[in-house]
Amino acid sequence: MSDFWRRVDEELEYKGINRTYLAKECGFSLTNIGQGIKLGSTPSAETAVKIAKVLEVSVEYLVTGSESPKQQTSDEINSILHDLRHLSSTDLQIAKTVVHRMTIPITKK
């Protein structure tokens, strides 16, 4: 399996989605993904862009394994959002309060 497809699989696992969902969202068949994996080929730029968009990562990351600083920040935010989605409504309200208090500027007296 090529590094591109290995990274795709890692992202799928991290996000809790499967190849069938990816194929559907990208507008191509699961067979196409399977062929790309079997051949060990990197897809066309257009296909890579579609995959990256669904996975919410950069094409650069899928192709090279490196991320831009902007993408790293986005990944950190996505990770936090993922965690927040699993909180109870009470815990979510507490998290909102904490974040709000952290953004209030400290004033000297």
Side-chain angles (χ1 to χ4, degrees):
M1 176 182 301
S2 72
D3 288 341
F4 178 91
W5 291 110
R6 182 182 49 75
R7 283 188 278 276
V8 167
D9 278 346
E10 288 170 358
E11 288 300 315
L12 289 171
E13 183 177 339
Y14 173 74
K15 295 188 181 329
I17 56 180
N18 59 34
R19 290 178 184 170
T20 303
Y21 175 85
L22 176 65
K24 180 182 175 193
E25 291 298 305
C26 290
F28 46 78
S29 74
L30 183 58
T31 304
N32 291 27
I33 292 176
Q35 287 176 336
I37 292 169
K38 186 176 179 180
L39 296 173
S41 61
T42 302
S44 69
E46 181 180 345
T47 299
V49 167
K50 288 179 183 179
I51 292 170
K53 194 173 278 190
V54 171
L55 296 177
E56 298 176 326
V57 298
S58 68
V59 175
E60 177 183 4
Y61 169 71
L62 292 177
V63 174
T64 68
S66 64
E67 299 178 12
S68 66
K70 180 180 176 186
Q71 185 63 40
Q72 289 171 342
T73 300
S74 176
D75 288 346
E76 290 170 0
I77 291 170
N78 285 334
S79 176
I80 292 168
L81 290 173
H82 178 268
D83 293 342
L84 289 173
R85 287 185 188 108
H86 294 90
L87 294 177
S88 68
S89 58
T90 302
D91 289 344
L92 184 58
Q93 188 58 45
I94 292 168
K96 286 180 183 179
T97 301
V98 168
V99 170
H100 176 72
R101 289 187 179 165
M102 291 174 70
T103 60
I104 297 172
I106 299 174
T107 56
K108 292 185 177 182
K109 293 185 178 183

